[in-house]
């Protein structure tokens, strides 16, 4: 069945179509939730909440753009809404250049390790890092989404990069030490 047909059946509240759409999109949307969540369990909760929103708002999908992109945006907004409720964002006056690049030694750093250290970032750093680096939003868009200034988004991004670089370097030193034994 084509996705357009599934969407129409979901608009008609067809439970079987909702299940099929869930099975089709859940793996991709779970990876989005995992990027923005503190841990696996929180990502699962965010996925379930996000799908409830998708099914409740599916009538609003107007086929301008991809359904998957529309659903991804709902997932991201759902996760961000959870953080807005707890006001994790505070203005930080740090003079850290946002041009810092993260250097990764592909042989010593796995995808799982990268995901783990990104999830360990403080909420405000993790969200800005993911929105900017992984999903390509501009600082202006991020500032609007999180209701903070562009200066704060730049500062949070720079701080996230510094923390990640430090963890990657420490991991590399630990692996070199272990390999030398």
């Amino acid at each position: 069945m084509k996705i357009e047909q599934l969407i129409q059946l979901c608009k008609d509240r067809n439970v079987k179509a909702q299940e099929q759409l869930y099975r089709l999109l859940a793996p991709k949307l779970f990876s989005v939730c995992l990027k923005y969540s503190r841990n696996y369990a929180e990502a699962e909760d965010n996925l379930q909440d996000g799908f409830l929103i998708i099914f409740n708002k599916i009538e609003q999908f107007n086929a301008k753009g991809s359904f998957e992109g529309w659903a991804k945006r709902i997932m991201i907004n759902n996760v961000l809404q959870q953080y807005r409720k707890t006001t994790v964002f505070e203005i930080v006056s740090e003079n850290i250049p946002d041009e810092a690049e993260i250097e990764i030694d592909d042989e010593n750093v796995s995808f799982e390790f990268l995901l783990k250290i990104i999830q360990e970032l403080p909420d405000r750093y993790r969200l800005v890092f993911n929105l900017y680096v992984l999903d390509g939003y501009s600082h202006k868009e991020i500032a609007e989404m999180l209701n903070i200034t562009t200066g704060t988004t730049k500062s949070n991004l720079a701080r996230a990069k510094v923390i990640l670089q430090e963890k990657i370097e420490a991991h590399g030193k630990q692996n070199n030490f272990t390999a030398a034994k």
Side-chain angles (χ1 to χ4, degrees):
M1 183 178 299
K2 289 186 175 183
I3 190 144
E4 293 83 12
Q5 293 170 309
L6 276 177
I7 293 167
Q8 187 54 51
L9 289 170
C10 288
K11 286 181 179 182
D12 296 335
R13 304 287 184 215
N14 181 304
V15 177
K16 294 246 186 242
Q18 289 175 339
E19 181 182 348
Q20 284 183 335
L21 191 63
Y22 178 89
R23 290 182 190 277
L24 180 68
L25 294 179
K28 290 178 183 176
L29 295 179
F30 183 69
S31 68
V32 170
C33 292
L34 201 53
K35 283 191 308 191
Y36 289 95
S37 302
R38 291 179 196 101
N39 54 51
Y40 196 88
E42 185 178 89
E44 288 177 320
D45 290 343
N46 287 327
L47 180 71
Q48 298 308 315
D49 293 343
F51 264 103
L52 289 174
I53 295 167
I54 288 169
F55 291 135
N56 285 328
K57 293 187 173 192
I58 199 162
E59 310 258 337
Q60 297 174 11
F61 178 68
N62 56 16
K64 291 183 181 173
S66 76
F67 181 78
E68 187 176 319
W70 180 81
K72 179 181 174 185
R73 180 76 179 205
I74 286 178
M75 286 294 171
I76 291 172
N77 286 334
N78 175 56
V79 175
L80 295 180
Q81 187 61 34
Q82 303 305 316
Y83 291 111
R84 281 188 207 108
K85 289 178 186 173
T86 59
T87 60
V88 296
F89 297 99
E90 54 199 58
I91 296 176
V92 180
S93 60
E94 297 180 37
N95 293 323
I96 302 171
D98 75 330
E99 302 302 318
E101 291 298 321
I102 300 172
E103 294 182 26
I104 300 173
D105 179 0
D106 291 343
E107 291 180 20
N108 294 325
V109 179
S110 68
F111 173 77
E112 289 78 16
F113 174 75
L114 285 175
L115 182 59
K116 177 182 175 288
I117 64 173
I118 290 170
Q119 286 178 324
E120 290 172 352
L121 287 170
D123 293 338
R124 63 185 180 270
Y125 300 154
R126 184 182 67 255
L127 295 175
V128 171
F129 179 84
N130 286 335
L131 288 166
Y132 187 83
V133 174
L134 302 178
D135 288 320
Y137 288 98
S138 70
H139 284 292
K140 182 180 178 195
E141 291 170 316
I142 296 168
E144 290 170 3
M145 292 169 83
L146 301 177
N147 198 24
I148 56 178
T149 68
T150 56
T152 302
T153 68
K154 290 177 182 180
S155 174
N156 287 345
L157 175 63
R159 188 66 191 125
K161 287 180 176 181
V162 168
I163 292 168
L164 292 173
Q165 187 64 49
E166 289 170 355
K167 289 185 177 199
I168 290 169
E169 288 172 2
H171 179 74
K173 287 178 184 175
Q174 182 181 1
N175 280 352
N176 288 340
F177 178 75
T178 306
K181 281 188 172 183

